[in-house]
Amino acid sequence: MDLEELLSVVQERFRPYDQTFPPIRKLPARGANQREVLALLTRLLREEEGRWKKGYVSGAVYHGEPAHTRFATQAYALASQTNPLHPDVWPSLVKMEGEIVAMTSALLGGGDSVRGAVSSGGTESILLAMKAYRDWGREKRGITEPEVVLPVTAHVAFDKACHYFGIRAKTVPVGADLAADMESVKSAIGPRTVAVVGSAPCFPYGVVDPIRAMSEVAHDQGVGFHTDACLGGFILPWARELGVAVPDFDFRLPGVTSISVDPHKYGFVPKGISTILYSDPDLLRKQYYVANRWPGGIYFSTSLAGSRPGGLVAAAWATMLSLGADGYRSIARKILATTRRIRTGAAKIPGVELMGDSAIVAAFTTPRMDVYQVMEQMSRRGWFLNGLQNPPGVHLAVTLRHTLPGVSARFLTDLRWAVRMAERAPAAAGLAPIYGMAETMPADAVEEFLSSVIDWMYHGS
Ligand SMILES: Cc1ncc(COP(=O)(O)O)c(C=O)c1O
């Protein structure tokens, strides 16, 4: 399949409305009737809401029950005009942000000295932490060419941070268990290292790195250690309480100096809220921005953004309060049980091999056949799974949507069918060749192609 053909598959998947809802190119000369606009919006969203509501999507919507969503939306509506950039106008947001940070920190063993801030998502929290370590290294150690040591499975946001902030990402391999290889971590730390990173758990396989050992080494070398608990921070503590063997990963380990954790994943709050926590208040200060000579007045911000949606802060705060420990625990119980059921069932399907051990993710590969073909067959049955690479694999991040009656059984039935189809049928087109691309094409060509995909998505050419 050539690139033109691949691009046309992308067009079909990412711009399905070009014919049915013709693109709008400029503001309407006269404002449209609000009822009609809402009707259009409803029709657009209705086309796609069944996917996630019925549990066909990996990750993405972690809760999604109508009453829960309605409550968060009410909280958002109450604060929809607010902006944390103006704490004098809305001191209520200062209180709410402080409390979101405090509740999150308490969940992760944070004592009195742990401080943090709210950001827009896991990526921003990671960017902020990496910038803080870079500045710390320069100030305290005179490191002008900073390096961060991280396993290959660490979220790509770390690579993005390194790219933005002039840090060298020193990646280390994972072992057979798909957790960071300790010997490689030890030997990668050098005089330019400003921080070591581990995941709890990593996105691809849902595996927790050996955070205790990694953070001890970092501590011994006098450098920072960042736990990326964006995915796991709001579910692993309950998993542990419920008897799952979860390795230590949080502030209870003295070497852990920062944690990124996302209320907008297993914290079940609307998208747009993450927290970044530090054991040392001085590190937090490295992410502040303050300006006192700007003609626009005194300016300060705690994260990358300037203006921010206070409605999301209110929705997150209200959701956390309304769920409480008991609410989180009982949802976690369901998700953990469903993950176990899916993993056990998948492992029994001939040809399917699980990748790594996880409480919340079912990652698998199919050594006898192209796993991306299996993924494509799954998508023909309505599933939206995540394609993994290096090595090829597919995963389902289990959410409350998958705990609905019949969903895990449907997943397993469809997976059994998809494996049989992939084994027998000729290669299906779809997105399968795109996932396989990185294995077969030069990196430059893949990057060029992906940039064209983005152009196409938003501009239609
Ligand atoms: C382990 C991990 N870290 C970071 C992120 C980035 O989070 P976000 O998409 O909110 O930027 C993710 C997202 O899935 C993740 O799984």
Side-chain angles (χ1 to χ4, degrees):
M1 187 180 253
D2 64 20
L3 290 187
E4 284 298 312
E5 276 178 86
L6 277 182
L7 212 47
S8 76
V9 175
V10 169
Q11 290 162 18
E12 265 169 45
R13 298 278 169 114
F14 296 149
R15 293 184 64 97
Y17 305 126
D18 278 357
Q19 305 306 324
T20 40
F21 298 92
I24 297 162
R25 301 275 183 218
K26 58 179 185 179
L27 279 173
R30 290 185 50 201
N33 176 295
Q34 287 182 350
R35 261 211 328 271
E36 283 168 19
V37 176
L38 289 178
L40 175 61
L41 184 59
T42 307
R43 275 170 58 212
L44 268 170
L45 292 171
R46 200 170 279 154
E47 302 267 327
E48 41 206 49
E49 72 185 3
R51 292 169 194 166
W52 63 265
K53 282 197 172 161
K54 294 183 188 148
Y56 279 105
V57 181
S58 171
V61 178
Y62 287 76
H63 193 295
E65 285 300 300
H68 176 87
T69 308
R70 233 180 353 261
F71 172 72
T73 309
Q74 272 172 356
Y76 180 91
L78 285 171
S80 70
Q81 300 308 301
T82 68
N83 179 356
L85 188 64
H86 306 297
D88 48 346
V89 184
W90 289 289
S92 58
L93 296 176
V94 175
K95 170 180 165 61
M96 287 186 249
E97 289 206 324
E99 290 171 1
I100 290 170
V101 167
M103 288 188 274
T104 308
S105 166
L107 194 59
L108 300 176
D112 289 344
S113 67
V114 169
R115 293 193 176 180
V118 169
S119 83
S120 64
T123 300
E124 188 182 352
S125 290
I126 288 166
L127 292 176
L128 290 163
M130 294 303 104
K131 184 204 165 293
Y133 286 117
R134 181 199 68 175
D135 294 357
W136 168 86
R138 193 162 46 202
E139 192 184 300
K140 300 280 191 221
R141 296 283 170 87
I143 298 172
T144 52
E145 293 174 50
E147 294 175 353
V148 168
V149 173
L150 70 167
V152 285
T153 49
H155 195 270
V156 67
F158 289 96
D159 210 55
K160 191 175 190 177
C162 291
H163 183 69
Y164 282 2
F165 299 131
I167 302 169
R168 180 169 167 231
K170 240 177 147 178
T171 47
V172 296
V174 290
D177 58 357
L178 300 175
D181 176 66
M182 260 326 287
E183 287 313 308
S184 308
V185 170
K186 280 186 203 154
S187 51
I189 299 176
R192 293 174 179 162
T193 305
V194 292
V196 179
V197 170
S199 311
C202 69
F203 172 82
Y205 316 114
V207 167
V208 179
D209 285 319
I211 306 284
R212 174 179 288 280
M214 293 171 87
S215 62
E216 275 170 9
V217 172
H219 187 256
D220 291 348
Q221 299 290 327
V223 299
F225 183 89
H226 180 87
T227 298
D228 177 16
C230 281
L231 191 58
F234 268 88
I235 193 158
L236 294 183
W238 311 113
R240 183 189 288 136
E241 239 190 66
L242 294 165
V244 178
V246 176
D248 292 327
F249 67 94
D250 61 20
F251 287 119
R252 280 165 265 247
L253 299 173
V256 171
T257 48
S258 57
I259 304 182
S260 46
V261 48
D262 289 356
H264 77 185
K265 293 190 175 80
Y266 290 101
F268 311 122
V269 315
K271 279 282 177 277
I273 296 288
S274 170
T275 53
I276 172 68
L277 308 169
Y278 300 93
S279 62
D280 175 357
D282 278 349
L283 268 177
L284 172 63
R285 283 184 159 215
K286 302 261 178 296
Q287 75 172 56
Y288 293 168
Y289 181 76
V290 293
N292 59 10
R293 300 176 65 82
W294 180 43
I298 298 280
Y299 180 99
F300 57 86
S301 65
T302 54
S303 59
L304 296 177
S307 288
R308 290 185 292 124
L312 285 180
V313 172
W317 179 82
T319 301
M320 290 168 77
L321 287 182
S322 84
L323 281 175
D326 55 341
Y328 281 113
R329 195 180 298 109
S330 82
I331 298 173
R333 189 180 281 117
K334 290 186 196 170
I335 292 175
L336 297 167
T338 301
T339 312
R340 269 196 301 277
R341 198 171 319 122
I342 288 176
R343 289 177 60 87
T344 311
K348 286 187 188 148
I349 298 176
V352 172
E353 212 168 80
L354 290 179
M355 303 171 93
D357 192 14
S358 176
I360 50 174
V361 171
F364 59 89
T365 189
T366 49
R368 292 206 312 268
M369 71 206 82
D370 181 354
V371 73
Y372 303 130
Q373 291 295 335
V374 176
M375 181 173 161
E376 182 56 28
Q377 297 295 346
M378 286 297 275
S379 76
R380 290 177 180 203
R381 288 265 160 134
W383 290 92
F384 290 76
L385 305 177
N386 296 95
L388 314 173
Q389 53 180 354
N390 302 322
V394 172
H395 92 197
L396 174 78
V398 180
T399 70
L400 191 61
R401 308 316 308 147
H402 306 116
T403 69
L404 294 177
V407 175
S408 56
R410 186 175 73 209
F411 177 83
L412 293 170
T413 306
D414 289 346
L415 183 56
R416 213 169 288 118
W417 175 85
V419 167
R420 275 206 309 275
M421 289 299 287
E423 216 164 17
R424 284 195 215 139
L431 293 178
I434 294 178
Y435 288 100
M437 226 176 208
E439 311 263 319
T440 54
M441 277 172 60
D444 291 3
V446 178
E447 278 169 29
E448 176 55 34
F449 173 74
L450 293 178
S451 297
S452 304
V453 168
I454 302 174
D455 283 344
W456 228 99
M457 275 166 55
Y458 294 103
H459 306 286
S461 64

